[in-house]
Amino acid sequence: MTGKVPAPGASVVKVAVIAAAAAAIEWYDFFIYGTAAALVFPAQFFPVDLPPLVAQIAAFSTFAVGFIVRPLGGVVFGHLGDVFGRKRALSGALLLMGLATTGIGLLPGYAQVGVAAPLALVALRFAQGLAVGGQWGGAALMAIESAPSGRRGFYGSFVQIGVPVGLVLANVVFLLVGKSLAPQAFLAWGWRLPFLLSVVLVLIGGYVRRHLEEPGEFETVGATVAGAVQGPPLARVLRDHLGDVLLAGGAFVANNTCFYMAITYVVAYGTATLGIAKETLLAAVMLASALMLPVLIICGGVSDKFGRRGIFMIGAVLAGLWAFALFPLIETASPVLITLAITVEMLFLSLMYGPQAALFAELFPVEVRYSGASLGYQVGSVVGGGFAPIIATALFARFHSTVPISVYLGAMCAVSFLSVLALGRRARAG
């Protein structure tokens, strides 16, 4: 290990801001896929004679691939981050995401190459999932392990704001491209532009590798312990911390399920079933995401003072209750009520997501922290977000009502509430 220990003060802010920027661009890449899966991919990468509902489920299935592989990304990059350093693993994940997303923007459609098109799409989505599975742990630990012990929630929340920032960027780009082009041109080639712009992520990955130093906590503790003969980090996590991993995954399912329901399924349901203009839905998602930014940071800071568990559990209860108001408000087709529905849900989710990075990091010792925190986070992402749009689509097709979808969201919130109830007692003092 050759990195220097970051100086306190301004250098900690620099690490947090750069980690947030890297997370934002990486999540931009991940989210533009979800938007395209709802609006474009059914027609571009699948046979034109498929029924619309079947094509939509097929497109959402490729979306789910990115979630299924995320635990593998957490394992691979977690090992690299625990053994070779946080910044190397993070820069590698950013590079992989940038290349995979650019590749999607260059793919020919089903009309040009037939079945090879969806197969190639799945392969590149696999690479996206692998990358995002490793990115969160690296960005979070770069910020948290560089922070003073009493400010981990605050600095960890900087990485969490990468999600809404990335989502806003993805929707802004799609809206601008959609407004600038005729519908036929957008479907023919315009949708590719947001994917091609992600090449900038390769440059950010290079910057992280060359200009950031390893966090001080990892340099002083992790590097020494990781070099000892104690087995691979993953083996140690599964042997000594499996309960923490599973409870962390359970804690994350509500946030991830409700979030992807609000930003992906609602867009598809609103446009295809209710006939609402996609611009109305995307604008509501953007405003809600922008309002998340200060709330996430505030919640992270509050958790430093009052603890992670309580604010997390309040968020789970409120999000579960609001799930029963979400769809009735969307179904009014009123832009104001649609925006209210999505915004309130996002703000309740911020109560959970703001302190989450610090909570998960504090569950594991430094030498296996990247592997443990990443695995817990990504297990929750598979159970939660990966299958949420598919489950919602199937529930609506079966019952012709959104009430079962709301029950499903409420159940996921109950799982997270109970998981955090147990997990909070096991968390190390921050």
Side-chain angles (χ1 to χ4, degrees), residues 132-358:
V132 83
Q135 172 272 136
W136 179 81
L141 295 187
M142 287 291 293
I144 291 169
E145 292 181 347
S146 299
S149 61
R151 303 297 304 281
R152 288 175 175 173
F154 174 75
Y155 284 106
S157 69
F158 276 66
V159 176
Q160 305 301 80
I161 69 172
V163 171
V165 170
L167 181 57
V168 169
L169 288 175
N171 283 320
V172 164
V173 172
F174 260 101
L175 284 171
L176 290 177
V177 173
K179 287 290 187 182
S180 302
L181 299 173
Q184 296 84 355
F186 176 79
L187 289 174
W189 59 268
W191 66 269
R192 299 178 183 275
L193 298 179
F195 289 88
L196 297 177
L197 290 175
S198 67
V199 71
V200 72
L201 196 58
V202 176
L203 303 178
I204 295 178
Y207 182 90
V208 168
R209 181 67 178 265
R210 290 191 299 271
H211 295 286
L212 289 191
E213 305 294 347
E214 290 292 349
E217 188 176 2
F218 176 77
E219 284 286 86
T220 57
V221 179
T224 302
V225 179
V229 182
Q230 301 184 49
L234 177 63
R236 295 190 58 204
V237 166
L238 296 180
R239 183 188 67 215
D240 300 331
H241 304 281
L242 180 59
D244 291 324
V245 169
L246 295 177
L247 287 173
F252 189 40
V253 295
N255 196 302
N256 217 34
T257 301
C258 295
F259 181 76
Y260 282 100
M261 197 68 67
I263 71 168
T264 300
Y265 178 75
V266 162
V267 173
Y269 173 69
T271 55
T273 303
L274 303 178
I276 300 171
K278 71 177 184 295
E279 291 81 5
T280 299
L281 293 160
L282 294 179
V285 169
M286 280 196 303
L287 178 60
S289 300
L291 292 175
M292 284 183 75
L293 300 179
V295 178
L296 284 169
I297 294 175
I298 290 170
C299 290
V302 168
S303 75
D304 285 327
K305 198 166 187 179
F306 299 104
R308 325 284 184 212
R309 185 177 62 161
I311 189 171
F312 207 117
M313 293 167 67
I314 291 172
V317 171
L318 294 176
L321 293 175
W322 189 254
F324 291 90
L326 177 66
F327 288 104
L329 290 172
I330 297 292
E331 288 160 359
T332 66
S334 163
V336 173
L337 294 181
I338 290 171
T339 302
L340 176 67
I342 296 174
T343 298
V344 173
E345 184 74 356
M346 297 286 225
L347 296 183
F348 288 160
L349 297 181
S350 299
L351 297 175
M352 293 185 278
Y353 201 59
Q356 180 178 297

